[in-house]
Amino acid sequence: MKAYLNYLIVLLLSFTLASCEVIGDIFKTGMWTGVILVVAVIAVVIWLLARVFGGGRR
């Protein structure tokens, strides 16, 4: 009985640790997606401001 309990604990820990790794990867992906979106939004705002205020063309 004790051997089954040990196997159960190891199995439970392996699932728990694997899920933490997956969550970490999801957050890393989300962070990079957020960084790319922020850079894209800033680029679009700068482009729009340049179009509205002449953009160097006279």
Side-chain angles (χ1 to χ4, degrees):
M1 178 70 179
K2 190 169 184 169
Y4 290 121
L5 184 60
N6 287 338
Y7 288 130
L8 182 63
I9 290 172
V10 169
L11 186 66
L12 180 66
L13 285 175
S14 68
F15 284 138
T16 304
L17 293 175
S19 65
C20 288
E21 185 177 341
V22 169
I23 296 298
D25 290 341
I26 290 171
F27 280 122
K28 286 179 188 175
T29 303
M31 180 193 69
W32 281 112
T33 303
V35 168
I36 291 170
L37 286 175
V38 166
V39 169
V41 167
I42 290 172
V44 167
V45 167
I46 291 172
W47 179 75
L48 284 174
L49 288 175
R51 298 272 299 173
V52 167
F53 293 114
R57 286 185 268 168
R58 295 190 185 244

